[in-house]
C-alpha cells in the first residue's frame, strides 16, 4: 500500500496545473535533478524499512496480524517512523490527527487511536484511487478513518512545488503526520505543511518522515526560524530519520521574507544548487541541519558556562544550592533524561540552565576523591556517540557523549585522561529508570 505505485518517478503532468509557468517548471526540474544527484545515498538507505522483528513487535503491540503491513521502506514509512506515531498517540491521546500522505502510517495511526483515546484520523492523499484502496484496506482490519482525496492543485505562497487541496481540516489539531507529497514534486514541498501549524493545540506534535534527507533538512531549518516556539528535533532511530516538533506555547509564526518575484527566486536558488554541486559544498552539509562542529561547539560552550555559573553560585552565600531533585519530574517537565551516577558520587547542586532552544539541566558533583565536576544534560546533536569525546574550554576539560536524543557533558579541571575516565563510568550506565 503506497501511492508510489500511482505517482511515478516524476510528478504528474504539470500542464494540468492552472498556475504553472515556465520559470517555476524549470526551477522545480532543476531542484529535482540537483536533489537526485546529492540525495541518492538517502534514497538508497530508505529502501530498508527496518528489521522484520521490529515490525512484528510493533504489530503485536497494536494487536494486528503480522501480515497487516506490506514490505516497508522505499516510498513507505519505516518502522522507526511508525513507532513514533504510536508513541505520540499514546502520550498525547489526540482528539484530531491530520495525516498528509496516506498509506502504512494510516493503518498504524488509526489503530493506535482505537487503543489510546479513540481520536479521529483525517488523512489526505493526492490519488483518488489510492484513497479508495486505503479506505478499503483499513476496513478489512475493522479500522475506520476519514481518508480523503486532496489533489496537488494548490500552491503555497511560501514554498515551492504543488500542494494539497485541503478541505474541512479540523480547527484544532493535536498531531500532524507528514509523509507527503513525494520529493519528486519538489525536494522542499513538504515545507508547506507549516500552513497547519497555527492550528496545533498547546501540546501539539509534528512528525515529519524522511527527515534525514537534504531537502527535509532545509525545511527543518526554515521551520525552526519561522516557528521558534516549536521545538524541532531530528531523531535517528529509523532508516530515514524523523523530525519531531513539540509546541511549547501558543504563538504566531515569525514573519518570513516573501516577495513578488518568487518564481525567479526559485530559479536563482536552483542555479545556486547547480553551482554548489560543482564545488562540492552540498556533500559537506551546507544544505541544512547536518550534525556539524558548530552544533557541538554551542553545546560545549553551554556546558562550560553552566559549570562557571555553578561554581560562582557555590561561592555566594546568598545563592542557595539545591541537591534535591526528582529525575521523573525533570523528564516530565523538560524532556531531559538524567543518567545514572555511581553510588559513591555526591550531588551538591541541581539547577535548570537556559539554552537557546529549551531549558537544560546542570548538576554539580563531587567524587570520592573530592573532585568537583559539572554534568550538563540537554537534548542536542553532537558528533559524539555512546563513547565520550573530549574538548577543551579555556582550562576546563569537557567530555561529552550521546544516548538516544540526549547529549551529556562532564566538565572538570585536571588531566584529560582523568575526566575521560570519569565520563566513561557514567556513559555505559545508561538512563535513569522510571
Amino acid at each position: 500500500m503506497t501511492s508510489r505505485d500511482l505517482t511515478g518517478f516524476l510528478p504528474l503532468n504539470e500542464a494540468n496545473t492552472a498556475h504553472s509557468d515556465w520559470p517555476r517548471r524549470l526551477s522545480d526540474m532543476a531542484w529535482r535533478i540537483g536533489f537526485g544527484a546529492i540525495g541518492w545515498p538517502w534514497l538508497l538507505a530508505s529502501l530498508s524499512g527496518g528489521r522484520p522483528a521490529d515490525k512484528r513487535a510493533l504489530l503485536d503491540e497494536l494487536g494486528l496480524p503480522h501480515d497487516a503491513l506490506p514490505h516497508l521502506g522505499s516510498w513507505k514509512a519505516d518502522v522507526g517512523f511508525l513507532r513514533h506515531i504510536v508513541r505520540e498517540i499514546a502520550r498525547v491521546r489526540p482528539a484530531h490527527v491530520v495525516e498528509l500522505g496516506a498509506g502504512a502510517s494510516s493503518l498504524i495511526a488509526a489503530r493506535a487511536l482505537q487503543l489510546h483515546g479513540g481520536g479521529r484520523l483525517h488523512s489526505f492523499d493526492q490519488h483518488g484511487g489510492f484513497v479508495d484502496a486505503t479506505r478499503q484496506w483499513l476496513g478489512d482490519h475493522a479500522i475506520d478513518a476519514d481518508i480523503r482525496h486532496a489533489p496537488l492543485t494548490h500552491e503555497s505562497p511560501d514554498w515551492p512545488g504543488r500542494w494539497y487541496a485541503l478541505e474541512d481540516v479540523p480547527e484544532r489539531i493535536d498531531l500532524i503526520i507528514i509523509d507527503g507529497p513525494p520529493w519528486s514534486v519538489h525536494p522542499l514541498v513538504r515545507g508547506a505543511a507549516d500552513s497547519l501549524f497555527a492550528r496545533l493545540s498547546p501540546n501539539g506534535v509534528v512528525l515529519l518522515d524522511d527527515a534525514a534527507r537534504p531537502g527535509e533538512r532545509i525545511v527543518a531549518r526554515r521551520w525552526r526560524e519561522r516557528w521558534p516556539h516549536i521545538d524541532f528535533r531530528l531523531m535517528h532511530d529509523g532508516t530515514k530519520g524523523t523530525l519531531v516538533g513539540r509546541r511549547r506555547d501558543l504563538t504566531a509564526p515569525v514573519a518570513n521574507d516573501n516577495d513578488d518575484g518568487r518564481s525567479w527566486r526559485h530559479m536563482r536558488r536552483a542555479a545556486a544548487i547547480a553551482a554548489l554541486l560543482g564545488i562540492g559544498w552540498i556533500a559537506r552539509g551546507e544544505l541544512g541541519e547536518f550534525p556539524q562542529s558548530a552544533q557541538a561547539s554551542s553545546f560545549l560552550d553551554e556546558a562550560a558556562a553552566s559549570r562557571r555559573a555553578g561554581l560562582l553560585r557555590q561561592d555566594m552565600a546568598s545563592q542557595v544550592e539545591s541537591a534535591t531533585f526528582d529525575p521523573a519530574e525533570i523528564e516530565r517537565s523538560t524532556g531531559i533524561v538524567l543518567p545514572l551516577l555511581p553510588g559513591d558520587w555526591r550531588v551538591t547542586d541541581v539547577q535548570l540552565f537556559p539554552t537557546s532552544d529549551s531549558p537544560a539541566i546542570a548538576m554539580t558533583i563531587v567524587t570520592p576523591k573530592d573532585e568537583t565536576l559539572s554534568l550538563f544534560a540537554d537534548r542536542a546533536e553532537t558528533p559524539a556517540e555512546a563513547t565520550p569525546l573530549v574538548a577543551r574550554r579555556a582550562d576546563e576539560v569537557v567530555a561529552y557523549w550521546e544516548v538516544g536524543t540526549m547529549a551529556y557533558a562532564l566538565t572538570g579541571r585536571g588531566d584529560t585522561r582523568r575526566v575521560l575516565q570519569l565520563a566513561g563510568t557514567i556513559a555505559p550506565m545508561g538512563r535513569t529508570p522510571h
Side-chain angles (χ1 to χ4, degrees), residues 233-253:
R233 302 284 176 169
L234 176 58
M235 316 297 283
H236 296 282
D237 50 354
T239 58
K240 300 188 288 184
T242 300
L243 186 74
V244 181
R246 303 185 192 279
R247 188 160 192 172
R248 294 197 287 264
D249 55 47
L250 294 175
T251 185

Side-chain angles (χ1 to χ4, degrees), residues 222-289:
R222 286 191 61 188
W223 281 354
R224 289 185 176 101
E225 294 172 352
R226 299 182 64 195
W227 300 88
H229 295 287
I230 300 179
D231 181 18
F232 290 102
R233 302 284 176 169
L234 176 58
M235 316 297 283
H236 296 282
D237 50 354
T239 58
K240 300 188 288 184
T242 300
L243 186 74
V244 181
R246 303 185 192 279
R247 188 160 192 172
R248 294 197 287 264
D249 55 47
L250 294 175
T251 185
V254 174
N256 57 34
D257 57 351
N258 295 324
D259 57 51
D260 294 334
R262 181 167 52 88
S263 294
W264 289 106
R265 188 173 71 246
H266 292 322
M267 290 192 67
R268 291 195 298 270
R269 289 177 177 174
I273 284 185
L276 288 172
L277 280 170
I279 61 177
W281 278 100
I282 285 179
R284 295 177 61 178
E286 285 295 306
L287 275 182
E289 301 296 324

